[in-house]
């Protein structure tokens, strides 16, 4: 009970006393057999030899004082431990709630002029309840998924009390929290009530008032603590719980933006909107650590990198305003993003996992770092534990599915995707995973079908639209349809540019140019495409970390513009953009590509091997490494690297296969034929013919 309710253990003295009490031998054996008792906790350190020895024979009179003293001391300890417990029965003490049971919080009703305030109060109550070690609050994403499963006609509408109770009953939750905010004159009244999810019977109510809106934070704290106390959380923990103003913000408008951002992210699935709202929140309160942490995560996928580094640094600077769990997460993110010290990041995760070993958010965060380091077995194991602990967190499924794809375990990956779809119907990110899985299986027709579904199902969502157009453009290029690919890629470029995602924009520009260079054999057109993009978005107009120096350098090396390629390498070094494992690996790839263009093959091989070992991407440096062996006349080594490219699973291989797969098939056809492996040569030839069947005439002619 000490361990489960108070996260502590008995002192060494108490444990030693307990052992002495157990080991005293009574003079006369009991008349009836005594049932065996569960052992009490023992001391953390090994007992001394003396305490393990059999006690000397004693007279009957000695047993009584020992027992009395032990009983008095143990009783005193019990009184001290339980002094902080609520005096009245609680839901935990009466068995109507168990530790880590789930709770759903309905949207609060507003009876005042500010309808937005009720949403802020409900979000704040959810947040404070989620800080409890004995309560699991159903996430907004899980509520949305449950509403879609029950075919709610408007799953984004407010979550009413009756709907919350229906959802709780269907999903096996124990409690519903409902409440409201009312204004009477200058005073605000906040009410919250606990309801039995099965019967709807009231199980406790808390009502607190605030003299004015400036006192609303303290009122929300009192209401949340009152609910936690009625559920059964100890008064000792509640006394040390940090107030809402400390762990979030003291600005009500900033809290409103943060609340709206959670809705945009978890209910509407609109990451750009969530980013804008969080940016407004930190503009109102520059020390809002929780909002900075949210921005650091969003900038990780939406960019730019400088913004991610800045947000991570600021969250770390104000981490004292976070709860212990959030503080460890921020520490770990700082070590990953800013310090590039991965052992310290894992240590930060472990520090919290010692306290909460089944925390799904922490398990998922640690899994993601393993994933980035290409330690997919460890990542898959942690993601699996995290999903088992809380199946309501959708990103955990993405990590689980993608880890399995990168391990080549496509059947378990399919099971994970099926489980995600059943848990989160209507979530369009399922189509992203379908595309990854289809490409991994070589099912390009299926990948195209899912990309078109994604495009049709999210006409206003820049995230989904950009991903769909990118996938369709890559599939068209992969299959030799150059004109179609160029048209789709220009559409994708426009989407990314309009959304301010210049990282996505430049990826499309350079892939378009690569297609013109390698397949259409039009180097001047490839130059024009890149020059036009640079005229629209000069490099010095971008933050240094957002400038595509590596990609541009590789492109210029491919064109033979070695001076410009060298300028890109020098810029990386001058701006200090080569620090850290991943940045250093990319620098090695650029340097190796330049050396390859200079025909310095041995040096190129050394650089490209380092790049292949250190990059996040499992495939990115392999084609150039294979060519470095090929051009050096080492045919067997070249074939081995090309084969490694073909057999290495990678969730985003479509982006590379679009420009690399057919050329590798063609070159392996020649290499296998030269060494007399006729069957293998014919297999490679069949593969490229299958890819380019129906392609543009200029590519079909290559096969003839």
């Amino acid at each position: 009970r000490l361990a489960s309710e108070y996260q502590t253990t008995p002192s060494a003295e108490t444990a030693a006393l307990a052992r002495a009490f157990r080991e005293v031998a009574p003079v006369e054996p009991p008349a009836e057999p005594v049932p065996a008792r569960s052992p009490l906790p023992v001391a953390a350190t090994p007992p001394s030899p003396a305490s393990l020895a059999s006690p000397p024979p004693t007279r009957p009179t000695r047993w009584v004082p020992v027992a009395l003293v032990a009983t008095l001391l143990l009783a005193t300890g019990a009184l001290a431990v339980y002094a902080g417990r609520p005096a009245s029965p609680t839901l935990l003490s009466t068995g109507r709630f168990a530790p880590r049971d789930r709770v759903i919080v309905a949207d609060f009703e507003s009876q005042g002029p500010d309808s937005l305030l009720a949403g802020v109060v409900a979000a704040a109550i959810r947040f404070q309840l989620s800080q409890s070690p004995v309560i699991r609050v159903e996430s907004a994403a899980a509520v949305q998924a449950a509403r879609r499963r029950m075919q709610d006609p408007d799953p984004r509408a407010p979550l009413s009390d009756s709907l919350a109770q229906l959802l709780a009953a269907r999903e096996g939750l124990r409690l519903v929290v409902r409440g409201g905010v009312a204004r009477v004159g200058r005073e605000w009244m906040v009410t919250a009530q606990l309801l039995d999810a099965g019967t709807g019977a009231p199980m406790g109510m808390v009502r607190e008032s605030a003299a004015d809106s400036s006192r609303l934070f303290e009122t929300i704290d009192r209401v949340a603590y009152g609910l936690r106390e009625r559920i059964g959380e100890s008064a000792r923990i509640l006394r040390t719980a940090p107030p809402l103003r400390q762990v979030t913000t003291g600005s009500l408008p900033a809290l409103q933006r943060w609340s709206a951002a959670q809705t945009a992210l978890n209910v509407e699935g609109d990451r750009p909107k969530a980013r804008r709202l969080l940016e407004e929140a930190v503009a109102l309160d520059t020390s809002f650590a929780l909002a900075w942490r949210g921005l650091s995560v969003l900038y990780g996928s939406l960019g730019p990198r400088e913004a991610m580094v800045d947000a991570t640094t600021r969250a770390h600077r104000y981490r004292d305003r976070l709860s212990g769990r959030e503080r460890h997460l921020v520490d770990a993110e700082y070590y990953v993003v800013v310090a590039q010290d991965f052992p310290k990041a894992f240590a930060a995760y472990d520090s919290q996992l010692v306290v909460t070993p089944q925390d799904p958010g922490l398990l998922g965060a640690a899994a993601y770092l393993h994933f980035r380091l290409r330690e997919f077995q460890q990542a898959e194991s942690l993601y699996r534990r995290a999903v088992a602990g809380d199946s309501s967190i959708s990103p955990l499924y993405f990590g689980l599915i993608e880890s399995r794809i990168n391990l080549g375990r496509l059947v378990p990956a399919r099971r994970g995707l099926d489980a995600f779809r059943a848990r989160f119907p209507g979530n369009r990110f399922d189509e992203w995973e379908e595309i990854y899985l289809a490409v991994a299986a070589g099912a390009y027709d299926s990948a195209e079908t899912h990309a078109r579904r994604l495009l049709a199902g999210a006409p206003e969502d820049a995230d989904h639209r950009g991903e769909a157009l990118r996938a369709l453009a890559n599939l068209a290029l992969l299959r030799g349809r150059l004109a179609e690919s160029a048209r789709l890629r220009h559409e994708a470029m426009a989407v990314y540019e309009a959304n301010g995602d210049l990282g996505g924009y430049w990826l499309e520009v350079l892939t378009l140019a690569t297609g013109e260079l390698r397949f259409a054999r039009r180097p001047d057109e490839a130059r024009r495409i890149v020059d036009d993009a640079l005229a629209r978005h000069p490099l010095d107009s971008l933050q240094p970390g957002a400038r595509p120096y590596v990609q541009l350098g590789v492109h210029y090396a491919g064109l033979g513009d070695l001076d410009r390629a060298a300028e890109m390498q020098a810029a990386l070094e001058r701006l200090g953009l080569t620090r850290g494992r991943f940045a250093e690996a990319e620098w090695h790839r650029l340097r190796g590509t330049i050396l390859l263009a200079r025909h310095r093959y041995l040096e190129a091989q050394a650089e490209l091997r380092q790049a292949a070992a250190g990059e996040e991407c499992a495939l990115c440096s392999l084609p150039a490494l294979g060519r470095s062996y090929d051009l050096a006349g080492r045919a067997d080594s070249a074939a081995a690297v090309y084969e490694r490219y073909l057999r290495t699973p990678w969730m985003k291989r479509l982006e590379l296969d679009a420009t690399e797969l057919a050329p590798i098939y063609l070159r392996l056809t020649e290499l296998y034929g030269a060494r007399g492996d006729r069957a293998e040569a014919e297999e490679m030839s069949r593969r490229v013919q299958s890819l380019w069947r129906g392609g543009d005439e200029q590519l079909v002619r290559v096969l003839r």
Side-chain angles (χ1 to χ4, degrees):
R1 187 169 289 177
L2 283 170
S4 64
E5 296 186 13
Y6 296 94
Q7 294 81 49
T8 190
T9 56
S11 68
E13 293 83 355
T14 302
L17 180 60
R19 279 198 308 276
F21 179 52
R22 288 198 304 273
E23 291 168 355
V24 171
V27 173
E28 297 181 3
E32 299 293 334
V34 178
R37 297 185 180 182
S38 300
L40 292 174
V42 296
T45 56
S48 64
S51 68
L52 293 175
S54 299
T58 57
R59 293 194 300 266
T61 53
R62 286 193 61 193
W63 187 89
V64 175
V66 171
L68 286 175
V69 171
T71 302
L72 280 172
L73 287 171
L74 291 172
T76 302
L79 286 172
V81 167
Y82 283 91
R85 293 173 62 86
S88 58
T90 67
L91 301 184
L92 277 172
S93 66
T94 58
R96 302 173 77 179
F97 190 85
R100 303 299 291 165
D101 271 351
R102 292 184 292 161
V103 171
I104 187 170
V105 180
D107 289 327
F108 278 29
E109 296 179 356
S110 175
Q111 299 176 22
D114 189 354
S115 59
L116 293 176
L117 188 59
V120 176
V121 172
I125 293 289
R126 287 190 189 97
F127 177 81
Q128 280 290 44
L129 292 179
S130 71
Q131 304 304 298
S132 168
V134 299
I135 303 168
R136 280 192 343 185
V137 179
E138 196 76 343
S139 70
V143 170
Q144 285 298 297
R147 294 178 73 167
R148 292 182 187 279
R149 285 196 296 275
M150 64 181 290
Q151 298 181 342
D152 185 342
D154 188 6
R156 295 185 179 185
L159 182 65
S160 64
D161 301 347
S162 57
L163 182 56
Q165 187 176 334
L166 177 61
L167 283 175
R170 287 172 58 97
E171 298 294 313
L173 278 67
R174 297 296 296 272
L175 289 176
V176 174
V177 177
R178 70 177 183 186
V181 182
R183 184 173 183 177
V184 182
R186 290 177 54 84
E187 190 172 88
W188 291 93
M189 183 71 68
V190 178
T191 304
Q193 187 176 28
L194 296 169
L195 301 177
D196 183 281
T199 65
M203 303 179 74
M205 176 181 285
V206 182
R207 179 181 288 115
E208 296 286 349
S209 62
D212 53 58
S213 60
S214 66
R215 309 293 297 177
L216 201 54
F217 286 90
E218 292 82 355
T219 303
I220 293 171
D221 285 333
R222 292 197 301 272
V223 170
Y225 295 163
L227 294 174
R228 289 165 66 173
E229 185 176 25
R230 280 158 176 73
I231 289 172
E233 196 168 339
S234 76
R236 182 183 68 82
I237 292 177
L238 291 175
R239 281 196 299 270
T240 60
L244 182 67
R245 186 187 295 271
Q246 175 183 325
V247 294
T248 58
T249 176
S251 165
L252 188 58
L255 190 64
Q256 287 177 319
R257 267 66 167 192
W258 177 83
S259 171
Q262 306 316 300
T263 301
L265 188 62
N266 299 312
V267 177
E268 300 168 12
D270 191 336
R271 295 191 296 182
K273 179 180 178 181
R275 178 187 62 191
R276 289 192 296 272
L277 286 163
L278 289 175
E279 286 170 345
E280 292 175 12
V282 296
L284 291 163
D285 178 1
T286 57
S287 62
F288 194 171
L290 202 62
W292 282 119
R293 179 175 178 258
L295 278 172
S296 73
V297 174
L298 285 171
Y299 288 140
S301 55
L302 300 177
R305 174 171 172 75
E306 272 78 10
M308 177 178 63
V309 171
D310 180 63
T312 305
T313 303
R314 290 173 185 266
H316 189 256
R317 182 182 305 158
Y318 303 118
R319 66 190 183 280
D320 289 344
R321 296 192 57 178
L322 297 167
S323 65
R325 175 186 182 277
E326 295 290 331
R327 196 178 308 123
H328 283 116
L329 283 169
V330 164
D331 283 343
E333 287 165 7
Y334 178 82
Y335 290 131
V336 171
V337 173
V338 181
Q340 299 273 306
D341 190 331
F342 302 132
K344 283 189 177 179
F346 281 122
Y349 291 133
D350 291 343
S351 295
Q352 183 62 31
L353 285 169
V354 167
V355 181
T356 53
Q358 299 305 320
D359 185 314
L362 281 158
L363 290 170
Y368 179 60
L369 183 50
H370 281 296
F371 186 98
R372 293 190 66 197
L373 294 171
R374 287 160 43 189
E375 297 167 352
F376 301 123
Q377 194 69 51
Q378 297 94 317
E380 193 270 349
S381 176
L382 290 173
Y383 277 128
R384 188 159 25 88
R385 282 177 56 193
V387 169
D390 189 345
S391 62
S392 70
I393 305 175
S394 59
L396 297 177
Y397 288 87
F398 305 148
L400 181 64
I401 295 163
E402 292 162 13
S403 295
R404 288 172 172 173
I405 291 174
N406 290 347
L407 288 166
R409 300 174 59 198
L410 302 189
V411 173
R414 164 57 60 189
R415 287 201 298 268
L417 180 51
D418 290 344
F420 171 78
R421 279 194 144 148
R423 193 78 174 86
F424 301 95
N427 187 311
R428 292 296 84 193
F429 281 103
D430 64 345
E431 298 294 356
W432 295 46
E433 303 301 328
E434 287 282 9
I435 294 167
Y436 300 153
L437 192 54
V439 171
Y444 301 123
D445 288 341
S446 176
E448 185 169 339
T449 297
H450 288 293
R452 295 196 182 283
R453 285 180 186 170
L454 180 60
L455 186 62
E460 304 301 325
D461 190 304
D463 242 3
H464 295 323
R465 188 170 179 80
E467 183 70 13
L469 288 167
R470 170 179 290 167
L472 289 169
N474 284 330
L475 285 164
L477 183 58
L478 176 67
R479 303 175 95 170
R481 304 196 296 263
L482 304 186
E484 178 188 343
S485 175
R487 176 181 58 79
L488 289 163
R489 208 168 298 283
H490 277 104
E491 289 187 51
M493 287 161 56
V495 170
Y496 287 122
E497 190 175 40
N499 195 44
D501 183 357
L502 293 183
Y505 170 82
W506 272 106
L507 179 57
E508 299 310 296
V509 166
L510 289 161
T511 308
L512 178 62
T514 300
E516 290 293 334
L517 175 64
R518 301 190 66 183
F519 297 117
R521 306 294 174 90
R522 296 190 296 189
D524 290 341
E525 178 63 12
R527 268 192 202 88
R528 185 197 63 77
I529 289 169
V530 172
D531 288 344
D532 286 353
L534 285 170
R536 291 175 68 88
H537 301 288
L539 290 181
D540 58 8
S541 71
L542 306 175
Q543 293 288 339
R547 300 172 191 172
Y549 287 124
V550 172
Q551 297 82 359
L552 281 170
V554 169
H555 170 73
Y556 289 136
L559 285 169
D561 295 345
L562 298 183
D563 289 342
R564 297 184 75 180
E567 288 174 13
M568 300 299 105
Q569 179 185 329
L572 281 174
E573 296 161 356
R574 184 176 66 254
L575 295 170
L577 298 176
T578 62
R579 187 172 63 87
R581 167 176 164 165
F582 303 132
E584 184 178 336
E586 286 201 323
W587 177 84
H588 282 298
R589 175 154 59 93
L590 173 55
R591 178 168 166 74
T593 306
I594 294 172
L595 289 168
L596 179 59
R598 295 185 187 279
H599 311 296
R600 293 161 61 178
Y601 301 128
L602 287 177
E603 295 169 87
Q605 290 160 20
E607 297 293 341
L608 292 167
R609 281 197 298 268
Q610 289 189 68
E615 285 180 313
E616 281 188 77
C617 172
L619 302 177
C620 290
S621 293
L622 295 183
L625 179 59
R627 286 192 288 274
S628 72
Y629 287 117
D630 210 347
L631 293 170
R634 299 176 60 184
D636 287 344
S637 296
V641 175
Y642 293 144
E643 290 163 355
R644 177 182 164 191
Y645 177 91
L646 296 180
R647 69 172 180 266
T648 300
W650 183 241
M651 52 167 285
K652 286 195 172 185
R653 68 174 306 131
L654 178 58
E655 295 177 4
L656 288 159
D657 282 353
T659 56
E660 299 291 353
L661 187 60
I664 285 177
Y665 283 157
L666 286 169
R667 184 57 184 146
L668 282 173
T669 301
E670 296 168 344
L671 291 173
Y672 289 153
R675 72 187 190 190
D677 293 336
R678 185 169 180 177
E680 289 85 349
E682 290 176 352
E683 173 60 23
M684 292 298 108
S685 179
R686 278 195 296 271
R687 290 188 188 184
V688 75
Q689 288 180 41
S690 176
L691 273 183
W692 283 355
R693 185 179 298 118
D696 291 359
E697 179 62 24
Q698 64 197 94
L699 295 183
V700 174
R701 281 200 302 270
V702 172
L703 303 179
R704 295 174 185 161

